[in-house]
Amino acid sequence: MRSVLREPLLHFVVGAVAIALLQHAVGDEEPPPEVIVVDRAVLLRTVQARQGRYREGEAEATLDAMSDDERQALIDSYVREEALYREALRVGLDEEDYVVRRRLGQSMELMTRGLAGADQPLDEDSLRERFEAEGERWRLAPSRTLRLVFFAPEDRSEAGFAAAMEHARQAVEETEPQGDLFEPGSTFEAVTERTLASQLGPELAAAIFELPAQPDWQGPLRSSFGAHLVQVTEEQAGDLPAFEDVRGRIEAEVRSELDEVTGDAAVDALVDRYEVRVELER
Amino acid sequence: MRLPSSPRWVVTLLALGACGVFGADRQNLSEPRHTELEHEPHLEPFGECREFTPERRAFFGELHVHTRYSLDANLQGNRATPDDAYRFARGEAIRVGPLDGDGQPTRTVQIDRPLDFAAVTDHAEFMGFVGACADPDSNAYHRRGCKMFRGGGSWAFGLLNMQTAQRGRRLKRHMACGRGGVDCDEYYRDLWIDTQNAAERHLDRTPDCEFTTFVGYEYTANPFTGVLGNVANMHRNVIFRNGIVPERPIDYFHTQDLRVFWERLESHCRAGDDGCDVLVIPHNSNLSSGLMFAEAPPGSRAPYTAEDDRRRSDLERLFEIYQHKGSSECLPGASSSDELCDFEITPYNNLRSAKVDRPDELSPHDFVRDAFGQGMWRQRQSGVNPFAYGLVASTDNHLGLAGQVHEALFMGGGGAGESGGGPLPDRIYFGPGGLAGVWAEENSREAIFRALKHKETFATSGPRIPVRLFGGWDTFDGWCGGDATERARTGYDRGVPMGGTLPQRPEAIAHPTFVASAVHDPGTGAYPGSPLQHLELVKGWLDERDTLQVTTHLLAGDRERGTLNPTNCALGSEGAHALCARWEDDDFDPTRPAFYYIRAIEVPTCRWTTRVCVAQEFDCNSPSPRPIDTACCHRRMGLHEPRCFGARCEPGSTDPCCAQDVVQPDIRERAWSSPIWYVPPDWVTGETQQAT
């Protein structure tokens, strides 16, 4: 939405308002309607709009690089455009041409939405209220700290897996059982079930999360890798974080929703300024 | 959609004892981009997920899926919204077609396990049209174009192809939208905003960081080409870094010139200082009729300039090597004796042929490996390799089913606009597609996007096989003796990860060494994963005549391993749960540019077509005594005919290999790493290399 702020139309409108205010303030008189003033600002805007050169300094560079002939051609075409535009306004085409009405309306809506989403301070209390109302959604998933010892099957036959399970069973009483290299890793610190599942498969991860924290080795557990002994050294319940710890995240969420909601609200507010009289009697 | 940074809650979390991996280790990795937490007010947080792994973990996602906002998907009865696609990716069940009499979807479907990240990428071009035609209050609604659209039918599917095949003054917008598209514009805006909002809603902003979304769209260019009126696929997915995105997508109606497309993405997004950043991912070069990697843009004779190449390589960091409409890696028999190129090759070279099922002669130039060679050659001309892609795969699913990749769960891709007939949910040549893999520290937008941008990515044909490759001038002795964490530390400290470019060669060292690993996909209880067959390295280089040479090297495992019973899809007892290897390039020539990537291959498993036959109790390989359904088990289907690739098929040929319906009963599922590049010191003539 921030790109709205780069929108040339916005620059144009803001600029126009500023100029109008300035003129009003200093009591400058508008030039008579039959005079078309072509100054540098006008040419820059034209270059920007026609060639899509919105980056800073780009339109300036383009304009400055023009030969006299090119600049004169630009001026001529601008004058022609402006004259026709004024004539169109004079005969009221802007009110009768549906396409023009829609375009203007759309531009206004776009601008309104963009401005509505701009930085506005968020009320601290409402953030806190939201956090409290949502409660459980912010609770961290439980985690475990654990070690694994792996027993690789000879091959992937049922007999191979059974033998690996048997090896593991024999080793489970040892204080430091020795197994085979386990590529995904042999220690996991404060790991969630989801993360463990993505590396070991959901079944093994779920089985590990069923185990209590205790110094003894537990298992064996079977997986598509082979057989595993597990030592769960720590078990962390899913804590509810303090508000301060997730405040920024809540704010980010609220802001992303605001863009959605306040945009609509801002447009509605515009529309609500009007009293509507429906007169359908024939 | 501006997202201010979060305050540092990490410290407190550490105190809670919930965050063991945070801390000193992070400083040890060699890449400067990870040495500190970076915070800029307009960026989303990095380093604030409760699970942060300095050595990086593998995450699997989907970067190419369509919903009802895409004209073609909508026409095929897709009623899923972007919200539904994200819900599906997160593991919720959603409803899909066929539709009942009330237009309601009749089937319920759920992914076998949730994805880590996803981006909905609807075709931008007709979003407004689709929206306006569905709203009875719109001006467009009662116009002929909308009526035809709502009536459905094949003409309407052609609308997309035909409209976005035109160029310049012949390009007409959809006929219902009024002058300048005025009657559809607000719908376009609404659907684009809704696309953004869906991504925002489903991004997990809790510290658990379980699911990441990206705002995206597809730029759908299908220029006509050649005398036959082929429709070349020049499609590209556009993926944004965060919620800061342009007001409107830069679509094909906005510009038909790729150079302008790149320029606009740069000026409308990357050039700003508001945190907008973007990646472009081309796909299906296999259907591009020679245009995807051509020297000049479609319809132009003037080749791309060095500036075009620079802009292109800045934006097009990744390439989608595999998806629903086939593989774009390499053409069998073209550049080497690489048998594994024979993988999910569609027999078409453009979208029109795919639509009307008219086989074409295929060209190796439409495959990305050939482009790697082209790119290295171009690098010497312009100083930039425009094709130094990282690799990802995706589904391109048009039913909104993000990441629905299991061969047993394939319900049709919906991208071609028709089913396969009979019990088959799709054309036999198409498939469920694959997944995008990344190596990242955490599952946040910032972390995943950086990984994508730095090309530390991999592609899989569906199974979640984490493949890893490092290369460098170190010997990496004993690398395979460590576990994933130790290997990664050594890899980053002494070499470059996949997607990177080898640093300058120390004089005393003659050749680079590569270390590679892969772990099998454990799968789930209902859909168990399969073991790995072998791990291999593909090396490509330009020889003295600047011709691309390719060799493949077995790193671990056995190319023949694995037995499959295609009548019931049962596997034998062979295969590995993990593979690891270290490989030195003894034939290294420091004066020639080269690339290296790995493939991890599963033992053969049943392709979806075979699974359909098995489920229907047809045996494709022994027709009797069970009945044969001709729509399912056609005379060639299920037969492995490797000799057929390379067969010369003249029109009217009676060679059975020239029959249109040759598919294999098995599929060798796989993962591809992004390449590591070597550029000779005197090769970079223009600008400096892209930093990796």
Side-chain angles (χ1 to χ4, degrees):
Chain A
M1 284 288 136
R2 178 165 283 195
S3 49
V4 167
L5 298 181
R6 289 210 301 272
E7 180 66 38
L9 180 77
L10 180 62
H11 299 167
F12 176 79
V13 172
V14 170
V17 170
I19 290 166
L21 287 175
L22 195 69
Q23 283 178 342
H24 185 73
V26 298
D28 199 4
E29 274 180 31
E30 276 197 25
E34 63 277 16
V35 174
I36 293 177
V37 179
V38 183
D39 57 13
R40 188 172 165 81
V42 162
L43 291 184
L44 282 176
R45 276 204 306 273
T46 312
V47 170
Q48 275 188 347
R50 290 191 186 174
Q51 304 187 17
R53 298 189 182 275
Y54 301 127
R55 261 182 280 172
E56 200 168 323
E58 223 180 22
E60 283 87 339
T62 307
L63 189 61
D64 292 341
M66 282 184 178
S67 66
D68 289 347
D69 286 349
E70 285 170 335
R71 191 175 309 110
Q72 192 54 49
L74 181 68
I75 292 170
D76 291 346
S77 79
Y78 169 76
V79 167
R80 186 180 157 81
E81 184 182 286
E82 180 67 15
L84 287 171
Y85 173 66
R86 290 188 190 180
E87 285 305 303
L89 289 184
R90 201 172 59 78
V91 300
L93 280 187
D94 54 328
E95 283 158 25
E96 289 177 14
D97 188 317
Y98 186 67
V99 173
V100 174
R101 285 170 55 92
R102 285 283 291 269
R103 270 275 182 246
L104 287 174
Q106 285 170 8
S107 297
M108 189 67 214
E109 182 170 351
L110 218 77
M111 201 174 76
T112 310
R113 284 176 173 277
L115 291 175
D119 288 307
Q120 33 177 281
L122 284 171
D123 169 19
E124 200 67 18
D125 289 341
S126 69
L127 291 181
R128 191 179 289 274
E129 266 170 38
R130 180 187 173 107
F131 172 68
E132 278 157 16
E134 292 189 332
E136 286 306 301
R137 194 165 83 76
W138 293 94
R139 184 176 291 283
L140 300 175
S143 62
R144 296 280 186 283
T145 294
L146 55 103
R147 295 167 68 200
L148 292 177
V149 175
F150 174 61
F151 297 85
E154 284 281 306
D155 61 26
R156 304 195 56 87
S157 66
E158 188 51 39
F161 277 85
M165 287 293 280
E166 188 49 36
H167 285 149
R169 208 166 282 125
Q170 286 164 12
V172 72
E173 301 294 335
E174 296 168 21
T175 42
E176 286 299 321
Q178 299 297 308
D180 301 305
L181 172 71
F182 190 51
E183 276 81 357
S186 50
T187 58
F188 293 85
E189 280 187 81
V191 67
T192 58
E193 183 176 339
R194 186 185 161 106
T195 297
L196 207 56
S198 75
Q199 294 175 50
L200 310 180
E203 281 74 22
L204 180 58
I208 289 172
F209 268 70
E210 294 285 310
L211 300 176
Q214 60 178 59
D216 298 335
W217 288 89
Q218 306 180 66
L221 298 175
R222 184 176 162 165
S223 76
S224 66
F225 291 91
H228 310 264
L229 294 181
V230 190
Q231 186 186 41
V232 181
T233 53
E234 240 183 288
E235 182 179 350
Q236 295 93 3
D239 290 315
L240 197 60
F243 169 72
E244 289 70 25
D245 298 336
V246 290
R247 191 202 161 284
R249 288 169 174 275
I250 297 173
E251 182 179 335
E253 228 175 53
V254 171
R255 283 210 185 276
S256 78
E257 289 163 17
L258 274 182
D259 279 350
E260 190 178 342
V261 177
T262 55
D264 288 341
V267 174
D268 289 347
L270 260 189
V271 176
D272 286 345
R273 281 192 211 161
Y274 291 85
E275 179 192 331
V276 181
R277 291 183 197 153
V278 182
E279 296 170 353
L280 291 176
E281 288 82 45
R282 279 167 230 172
Chain B
M1 310 275 150
R2 191 166 324 118
L3 301 164
S5 68
S6 307
R8 300 281 180 91
W9 54 272
V10 176
V11 179
T12 326
L13 199 63
L14 266 171
L16 286 172
C19 217
V21 291
F22 277 53
D25 279 350
R26 194 173 308 171
Q27 304 297 326
N28 292 343
L29 292 175
S30 54
E31 296 217 344
R33 69 190 164 106
H34 302 288
T35 51
E36 58 187 34
L37 294 181
E38 292 169 42
H39 265 297
E40 291 179 59
H42 48 260
L43 296 183
E44 302 225 12
F46 173 78
E48 298 193 0
C49 293
R50 50 112 42 117
E51 289 174 286
F52 182 100
T53 313
E55 300 83 8
R56 297 174 201 161
R57 306 197 299 276
F59 294 101
F60 293 92
E62 165 76 273
L63 295 174
H64 190 175
V65 63
H66 294 271
T67 74
R68 64 185 299 175
Y69 293 179
S70 293
L71 175 82
D72 53 354
N74 194 301
L75 279 167
Q76 291 160 60
N78 183 346
R79 292 294 167 267
T81 60
D83 257 321
D84 293 327
Y86 286 125
R87 287 199 299 116
F88 181 81
R90 299 178 72 170
E92 287 182 41
I94 67 167
R95 309 276 291 165
V96 297
L99 308 178
D100 64 17
D102 299 327
Q104 296 303 310
T106 53
R107 291 185 293 178
T108 301
V109 54
Q110 190 171 18
I111 198 168
D112 57 337
R113 55 201 143 150
L115 296 176
D116 297 314
F117 62 92
V120 169
T121 53
D122 279 308
H123 294 292
E125 285 70 17
F126 292 90
M127 252 189 220
F129 174 80
V130 167
C133 289
D135 179 4
D137 291 336
S138 77
N139 292 330
Y141 186 83
H142 295 289
R143 295 196 182 127
R144 200 163 52 119
C146 278
K147 284 182 182 161
M148 290 168 85
F149 166 71
R150 285 195 302 276
S154 62
W155 85 267
F157 189 83
L159 180 77
L160 176 73
N161 289 333
M162 298 307 288
Q163 290 281 305
T164 52
Q166 307 284 354
R167 275 200 299 268
R169 299 182 63 183
R170 274 182 297 176
L171 179 76
K172 290 199 184 81
R173 291 196 177 209
H174 11 78
M175 53 190 82
C177 289
R179 245 193 300 164
V182 66
D183 291 323
C184 296
D185 271 7
E186 62 188 276
Y187 292 92
Y188 191 2
R189 193 205 58 217
D190 284 352
L191 265 55
W192 176 232
I193 287 178
D194 196 55
T195 302
Q196 297 167 47
N197 287 340
E200 295 302 321
R201 274 195 291 275
H202 292 279
L203 173 66
D204 179 9
R205 292 190 190 279
T206 73
D208 282 340
C209 297
E210 289 193 346
F211 187 67
T212 294
T213 60
F214 293 99
V215 180
Y217 73 90
E218 182 166 351
Y219 172 82
T220 319
N222 312 303
F224 280 132
T225 177
V227 285
L228 292 173
N230 286 349
V231 176
N233 180 331
M234 294 290 274
H235 298 185
R236 285 154 155 82
N237 282 316
V238 179
I239 307 286
F240 293 96
R241 178 184 198 167
N242 49 37
I244 302 160
V245 306
E247 216 46 67
R248 298 284 165 90
I250 314 294
D251 64 23
Y252 190 73
F253 293 125
H254 188 120
T255 176
Q256 297 92 58
D257 188 333
L258 269 177
R259 295 166 296 190
V260 178
F261 167 72
W262 295 321
E263 202 180 292
R264 292 285 151 84
L265 282 176
E266 201 172 71
S267 64
H268 286 44
C269 177
R270 301 191 76 200
D273 57 1
D274 58 3
C276 188
D277 200 355
V278 63
L279 289 170
V280 175
I281 310 177
H283 67 86
N284 284 112
S285 58
N286 62 331
L287 299 174
S288 76
S289 275
L291 291 191
M292 186 65 86
F293 306 122
E295 287 180 18
S300 166
R301 289 200 186 146
Y304 293 109
T305 62
E307 177 63 7
D308 295 331
D309 281 355
R310 198 268 312 150
R311 200 173 276 125
R312 183 176 193 166
S313 68
D314 274 357
L315 285 162
E316 307 204 333
R317 313 287 294 163
L318 303 170
F319 181 80
E320 190 183 287
I321 195 171
Y322 173 64
Q323 60 124 283
H324 167 250
K325 285 194 276 297
S327 160
S328 297
E329 182 190 5
C330 47
L331 185 64
S335 61
S336 69
S337 59
D338 182 358
E339 286 176 16
L340 286 168
C341 289
D342 179 2
F343 176 74
E344 297 298 306
I345 300 290
T346 59
Y348 322 111
N349 73 8
N350 75 95
L351 289 168
R352 192 176 119 162
S353 298
K355 176 73 183 157
V356 302
D357 196 11
R358 180 193 67 192
D360 300 300
E361 195 170 326
L362 305 184
S363 156
H365 301 313
D366 280 333
F367 291 80
V368 72
R369 195 155 82 188
D370 190 81
F372 288 162
Q374 292 281 334
M376 293 192 298
W377 183 81
R378 286 253 285 272
Q379 183 159 17
R380 188 162 57 176
Q381 320 302 312
S382 71
V384 181
N385 178 347
F387 309 130
Y389 300 118
L391 299 176
V392 291
S394 284
T395 64
D396 194 7
N397 186 289
H398 278 58
L399 306 176
L401 304 180
Q404 177 79 323
V405 288
H406 202 290
E407 297 286 315
L409 300 171
F410 186 46
M411 302 172 77
E418 56 220 315
S419 76
L424 296 177
D426 209 325
R427 290 271 195 76
I428 59 171
Y429 299 112
F430 298 149
L435 295 177
V438 304
W439 289 99
E441 295 86 348
E442 63 177 13
N443 190 4
S444 69
R445 270 188 178 164
E446 264 304 290
I448 305 276
F449 189 85
R450 288 182 199 195
L452 295 171
K453 193 163 173 178
H454 291 95
K455 305 186 277 196
E456 197 173 346
T457 62
F458 55 101
T460 93
S461 62
R464 301 193 189 182
I465 305 169
V467 283
R468 217 156 192 190
L469 171 68
F470 292 96
W473 307 105
D474 194 88
T475 57
F476 295 103
D477 280 329
W479 195 73
C480 288
D483 68 12
T485 306
E486 296 161 52
R487 289 176 187 171
R489 278 194 194 138
T490 313
Y492 290 117
D493 283 348
R494 304 191 204 158
V496 294
M498 54 214 219
T501 302
L502 290 173
Q504 205 178 345
R505 181 174 62 99
E507 238 169 72
I509 295 174
H511 57 246
T513 299
F514 296 87
V515 281
S517 68
V519 177
H520 89 296
D521 177 5
T524 65
Y527 299 98
S530 305
L532 296 173
Q533 182 193 60
H534 76 275
L535 183 63
E536 64 180 13
L537 181 136
V538 179
K539 175 189 175 184
W541 73 97
L542 292 188
D543 66 14
E544 291 70 21
R545 288 171 302 159
D546 287 340
T547 305
L548 176 65
Q549 301 292 336
V550 176
T551 50
T552 59
H553 306 269
L554 181 68
L555 297 181
D558 179 342
R559 286 195 169 110
E560 302 302 319
R561 192 151 69 174
T563 49
L564 169 70
N565 180 348
T567 64
N568 62 5
C569 297
L571 299 182
S573 62
E574 297 163 288
H577 69 267
L579 294 169
C580 182
R582 182 182 154 276
W583 182 81
E584 295 178 26
D585 184 6
D586 292 330
D587 295 325
F588 180 70
D589 179 350
T591 66
R592 310 306 302 170
F595 60 83
Y596 305 82
Y597 65 92
I598 54 167
R599 290 188 297 220
I601 314 287
E602 279 189 356
V603 296
T605 50
C606 276
R607 194 176 185 271
W608 69 268
T609 35
T610 308
R611 287 177 190 271
V612 171
C613 291
V614 169
Q616 306 270 333
E617 298 200 326
F618 298 125
D619 178 352
C620 302
N621 289 310
S622 52
S624 58
R626 284 194 258 174
I628 289 290
D629 180 306
T630 51
C632 178
C633 294
H634 206 280
R635 62 188 185 281
R636 283 280 145 201
M637 205 179 120
L639 300 181
H640 188 170
E641 295 279 9
R643 68 182 185 88
C644 287
F645 283 108
R648 288 165 184 268
C649 292
E650 307 296 336
S653 166
T654 53
D655 185 337
C657 287
C658 298
Q660 285 183 25
D661 41 18
V662 179
V663 295
Q664 300 169 15
D666 61 338
I667 180 168
R668 290 211 273 173
E669 304 272 15
R670 61 193 60 199
W672 299 261
S673 77
S674 289
I676 289 178
W677 302 84
Y678 170 74
V679 185
D682 60 344
W683 201 262
V684 187
T685 57
E687 297 170 48
T688 49
Q689 265 281 290
Q690 285 289 323
T692 54

